Each structure stands twice: as structure tokens, then as C-alpha cells.
Amino acid sequence: MKKLIVLLSITLLFLTGCSVRLLDEQNIGKNMKVLLSKKVKLYNVFYEGYKYYIPKGMQFVRKDDYNAILKDQNHNKYYLYVDAIGYYHKVENDYEVRSDMHYSKRLDYNKKTGYIQIEKVDSKYFIQFVFHYMKLEAYVIEEDLTDTITNMCSIARTIHFNDKILDSLIGENILEYTEEDYTLFKADSSKEAFLDVVKREETDLYKKDLEDEKINLDS
């Protein structure tokens, strides 16, 4: 009798795609609430004006002051941007939930705001995750959605800005910063723009690998 109940439950899940999707959305929401509600003071990445924490198992592919590319254990790449200008000017989050997305939600925990937006593109999912002036983007398969969002939460919840240092860096050089440099933080940043960045990055890394191989062959 117990086996029959289990089989019926599994059959219902497969037959009702809406129920499966609803369950996924509930789990995503609960997971984010648990992670983002916790006040965590862990840091292993330090720059002038801010710091944050990268979970174990993740590594940098490339990084500079305000941008970085990370890779997780599933070989997914995360494109990370720190909006120091937005933080300095205390720009408010104006994101509106979108019904045309696979998942869309405003985030508000510990007086820190942001949003998550997941769009299905072909057979994969394009994730835009913004929290407290940090944005992470990734393009992953469905099976990696939960792990990817967990990693994004674990990173973004730790971002901490140093007001005094930012004031000295940005306050004196504000004319050097333009709005165009920070368009990727806008809620309407397109998947096409992101995928173009991914394509260019993959091409650059491929060229670099070829150059490295050439050097090794010639040595």
C-alpha cells in the first residue's frame, strides 16, 4: 500500500508541471530567506572600499576592482559586479516583479534590498541576482539552479563597504565615473548583452590558451 502511494505521488508530480514549478519556487524563496536573513561577517576577498566572502569550492577565473568572474564546482561561471557608485550615492532599488519571467522577486532582508530574476533561455536559465549593490549573473542548467542561487546568496550577503575609503576614492574622482560604466546594474539589462559578454570572455580565454600552448611548444 505504501509503495502504491509513493508511486501515485511521483506520477502526479510528473503529470502536473505547474505543481513542480510551484514547488521549485517555494524552495528557492525559502532558501534565500534563510541565507539572506543571517548576518554573516566572513571575508576572504579585500579591495579598497569593500570586501566580501567567496564560499569554499569556488575560484576566481579573472578579477579586478569592481568586476570578477568566478567558477563553481559544477564549472558554472558567475559574472560579479560591485556597484560602488550606486552605494556611494545610496541609489534605491526600483525593481518591479515581472510576470513574464520564470522567477522574479524583490529582496529585502536586514535593511538590504535587491532582486532575483530568472529567465529561461533555450534549455538553460539566465539568473540575475542583485543584493546590496552587488550583482551576480550566471547561465546554468536546471539541475544547477539551487546550488547557483545558494552560492550567489552566500557571496552577496557578505558584501561590506568602507564609507571612509569610498569617500576618498569616489568623492574626489566623481567626474571620472560615467553612468555607462554601471548599466549592468539596471533591472532591464538584457540577456543578449550578458551572453555577448560570456561569448567574448570565452573567446579571450581560448585565445589565451592558444598563446600559452604556443609558448610551451616553442620553449
Side-chain angles (χ1 to χ4, degrees):
M1 185 63 180
K2 290 183 178 179
K3 290 183 178 180
L4 179 60
I5 293 174
V6 171
L7 288 173
L8 286 173
S9 299
I10 294 173
T11 302
L12 286 172
L13 284 174
F14 277 106
L15 291 177
T16 56
C18 291
S19 297
V20 173
R21 178 178 173 179
L22 178 61
L23 179 63
D24 288 342
E25 291 181 356
Q26 289 176 342
N27 286 337
I28 288 173
K30 288 179 180 178
N31 192 36
M32 288 192 299
K33 182 177 181 180
V34 170
L35 291 169
L36 297 178
S37 295
K38 291 184 178 180
K39 294 183 179 180
V40 180
K41 293 184 178 180
L42 289 174
Y43 311 106
N44 55 13
V45 180
F46 302 88
Y47 284 109
E48 284 189 305
Y50 68 93
K51 56 187 176 181
Y52 57 89
Y53 176 77
I54 296 298
K56 291 182 179 179
M58 297 193 72
Q59 59 181 327
F60 280 102
V61 175
R62 185 176 299 177
K63 61 180 177 178
D64 57 34
D65 285 348
Y66 295 105
N67 306 280
I69 301 174
L70 304 166
K71 185 168 65 175
D72 64 17
Q73 293 176 318
N74 296 322
H75 303 290
N76 293 311
K77 287 184 179 179
Y78 300 59
Y79 292 76
L80 180 155
Y81 318 93
V82 176
D83 187 6
I85 304 297
Y87 172 82
Y88 182 78
H89 291 289
K90 299 299 184 288
V91 177
E92 294 186 6
N93 170 36
D94 60 355
Y95 181 76
E96 294 184 4
V97 173
R98 295 179 55 177
S99 59
D100 60 328
M101 291 291 120
H102 178 78
Y103 188 81
S104 174
K105 179 181 176 64
R106 282 179 59 89
L107 304 175
D108 189 350
Y109 300 99
N110 294 325
K111 298 181 180 180
K112 299 176 181 179
T113 61
Y115 67 87
I116 179 172
Q117 180 173 291
I118 304 175
E119 181 178 3
K120 190 169 185 179
V121 183
D122 298 326
S123 60
K124 300 177 76 173
Y125 294 84
F126 171 45
I127 307 170
Q128 296 183 74
F129 184 95
V130 174
F131 191 68
H132 197 48
Y133 303 100
M134 174 183 278
K135 182 172 187 177
L136 293 124
E137 294 177 307
Y139 186 51
V140 304
I141 60 174
E142 185 173 3
E143 289 78 6
D144 291 342
L145 271 175
T146 299
D147 287 343
T148 302
I149 295 171
T150 296
N151 286 332
M152 289 180 169
C153 288
S154 298
I155 296 169
R157 69 180 180 178
T158 65
I159 182 72
H160 178 79
F161 295 93
N162 187 310
D163 292 341
K164 291 183 178 180
I165 293 179
L166 287 179
D167 185 56
S168 65
L169 291 174
I170 298 174
E172 297 176 359
N173 303 286
I174 192 63
L175 294 178
E176 296 181 11
Y177 297 93
T178 64
E179 184 179 353
E180 293 180 358
D181 294 330
Y182 297 91
T183 54
L184 287 170
F185 286 93
K186 294 183 178 180
D188 61 355
S189 60
S190 67
K191 65 178 180 296
E192 286 80 11
F194 170 79
L195 294 176
D196 284 343
V197 171
V198 174
K199 185 176 180 179
R200 288 199 304 271
E201 180 63 30
E202 293 292 345
T203 301
D204 290 344
L205 290 175
Y206 177 70
K207 288 180 178 178
K208 183 178 182 301
D209 288 341
L210 288 180
E211 288 299 321
D212 290 343
E213 289 180 6
K214 181 179 180 180
I215 292 173
N216 291 333
L217 289 171
D218 291 342
S219 59

